[in-house]
Amino acid sequence: MTLDIRPVAIPERLGTPEAEEFEAYVEATAVADESVWGHRRFSYDAPELLPEFLDDRYTGRRAFAAWDGGRCVGRADVTWERSDGARAAEITVGVATDQRRRGIGSELLRHAEAHARSIGREVLVGRSDVPVAGLDLPGTRLEAPDGTGSIPAADPGASFATRHGYRLGQLERMSGLTVTGRSAKFRSMLVDHLAARDEIAASYRLVGWIDRAPEELLASLAVAHASMATDAPAGGISYDEEAWDADRVRAEETLALAGGRTTLAQAAIAPDGAVAGFTELSLPADSMAVFQWDTIVLGPHRGHRLGMLLKLANLVRLGETAPERTDVYTWNADENDHMLAINIALGFTVRGMSAEWQRP
């Protein structure tokens, strides 16, 4: 085998000769994901991913692909926060199942790490996934610094990470919720939740939107987005702070729309008019899946069950907006007992674990 590893050229448009390598890299990513999960629901397609590379004002991206002749047999991605003071880069690696154990993943990782170092990133963070069927492999278990979960050391992703000097810093519980036929149940739960609120909780009002946040909420919504990087449990991972303002909120909305994703959002508004917390559901095009992305209630506003309120309201909106969608997927730190309790009460069940690794 003659192996060639090189950066992936990013085209301006898809469906052109210049886009062929990018499209092959996207397909290789989907193939690698499918080998883990048994489906491609968690993979971005080319129209969804291309805008993320074309607009890298806030998040830098570099992709590498391994080629055997004209076939893309593996890929590595490097992403990094562009805010001042950022020190970390996140790396993911995937190799076609029939090409593993030939050193391709190691070479891809070497290229990705070299790029991260070249842009001044001192902390390298990686990610691997373990489906629920793989959680019970026999043998030694690996435990993160926080939480109660563990993964088998023999899992292919875990074995690859530890062999290359990465340590397990955090486990995220990947949960799924089948929403088919449950719209009435969510609506009833929301009504009961609203009726049970005390005087303080009732002083917060709900504001929902699709794709574009109201202009008057942008400044305080940016504060809430920035808090996701600092307030969420981090385990043993050194996550960078993120600089958010109204322009970045609008830029992220534009990227989602450019990639064909619909975003359903709910915010809890405090009596002073500021965003006290928010939640987002992302609906990719041509899919039955929905992704529960950011959910946060800011510190001064916790203790009033706003997290449950936000999620219930958005699930009701999902049933009204896209009743054909079947499943919602979400990732939460294994030590985030409060958010996990909300998910369990809503009916989410464990579908797997995602491991976060760090070097040094």
Side-chain angles (χ1 to χ4, degrees):
M1 178 180 66
T2 301
L3 189 67
D4 180 23
I5 296 178
R6 58 181 183 268
V8 176
I10 307 304
E12 291 295 324
R13 293 183 298 110
L14 298 173
T16 65
E18 294 76 19
E20 290 178 358
E21 287 197 356
F22 177 80
E23 291 166 354
Y25 144 80
V26 173
E27 174 64 13
T29 302
V31 167
D33 288 347
E34 188 174 20
S35 73
V36 174
W37 296 110
H39 58 73
R40 298 188 176 197
R41 287 188 170 189
F42 303 158
S43 303
Y44 280 28
D45 59 19
E48 190 173 16
L49 191 57
L50 181 58
E52 305 276 349
F53 279 92
L54 292 178
D55 184 355
D56 63 353
R57 287 173 292 169
Y58 301 104
T59 304
R61 298 178 184 274
R62 175 62 64 91
F64 296 88
W67 302 90
D68 180 12
R71 180 190 176 194
C72 183
V73 296
R75 99 294 179 251
D77 304 298
V78 188
T79 60
W80 62 94
E81 171 67 22
R82 289 194 180 277
S83 299
D84 291 342
R87 300 173 55 244
E90 182 168 344
I91 296 172
T92 57
V93 177
V95 177
T97 54
D98 65 329
Q99 298 294 320
R100 292 175 184 170
R101 301 188 180 277
R102 298 184 180 183
I104 299 174
S106 296
E107 280 299 299
L108 283 163
L109 178 62
R110 185 176 66 83
H111 279 71
E113 289 180 336
H115 179 74
R117 300 295 192 196
S118 74
I119 58 172
R121 291 317 190 254
E122 305 164 356
V123 177
L124 305 179
V125 177
R127 186 182 185 90
S128 66
D129 297 310
V130 187
V132 69
L135 290 175
D136 294 327
L137 285 176
T140 304
R141 310 290 297 183
L142 299 177
E143 298 179 356
D146 298 322
T148 60
S150 66
I151 58 174
D155 170 76
S159 177
F160 180 84
T162 55
R163 190 166 67 251
H164 289 88
Y166 287 76
R167 59 170 176 77
L168 182 60
Q170 187 176 49
L171 288 173
E172 290 188 337
R173 191 181 304 181
M174 198 285 283
S175 305
L177 172 66
T178 298
V179 295
T180 303
R182 298 199 65 195
S183 292
K185 174 64 174 178
F186 294 137
R187 192 174 296 107
S188 175
M189 291 175 68
L190 178 59
V191 169
D192 292 344
H193 186 90
L194 290 169
R197 291 192 298 173
D198 60 25
E199 183 177 352
I200 295 177
S203 68
Y204 294 87
R205 60 186 174 89
L206 276 175
V207 174
W209 63 87
I210 298 176
D211 294 330
R212 295 283 192 181
E215 190 74 23
E216 65 273 13
L217 296 182
L218 288 180
S220 60
L221 186 60
V223 173
H225 273 286
S227 297
M228 282 296 304
T230 56
D231 291 7
I237 300 295
S238 301
Y239 291 110
D240 286 321
E241 293 185 11
E242 298 178 0
W244 282 79
D245 56 16
D247 288 341
R248 184 166 182 173
V249 174
R250 286 293 190 232
E252 292 295 323
E253 293 172 343
T254 299
L255 278 181
L257 289 168
R261 300 191 302 277
T262 298
T263 302
L264 307 182
Q266 294 283 336
I269 309 303
D272 65 0
V275 171
F278 77 99
T279 190
E280 293 179 333
L281 290 174
S282 179
L283 285 62
D286 303 320
S287 175
M288 293 295 100
V290 178
F291 297 101
Q292 172 70 70
W293 288 151
D294 290 353
T295 299
I296 189 170
V297 175
L298 301 184
H301 306 284
R302 292 172 187 166
H304 307 301
R305 302 187 68 205
L306 295 179
M308 175 64 84
L309 175 65
L310 290 165
K311 286 198 169 186
L312 274 173
N314 228 18
L315 287 171
V316 170
R317 174 62 66 89
L318 175 64
E320 297 169 346
T321 304
E324 75 284 356
R325 301 280 171 153
T326 61
D327 292 272
V328 178
Y329 299 98
T330 190
W331 285 256
N332 299 99
D334 187 58
E335 66 268 29
N336 193 346
D337 293 335
H338 178 70
M339 195 61 69
L340 290 173
I342 293 174
N343 289 342
I344 291 169
L346 290 170
F348 281 89
T349 58
V350 178
R351 307 290 178 88
M353 299 288 279
S354 291
E356 296 284 345
W357 307 88
Q358 183 167 311
R359 177 184 176 190

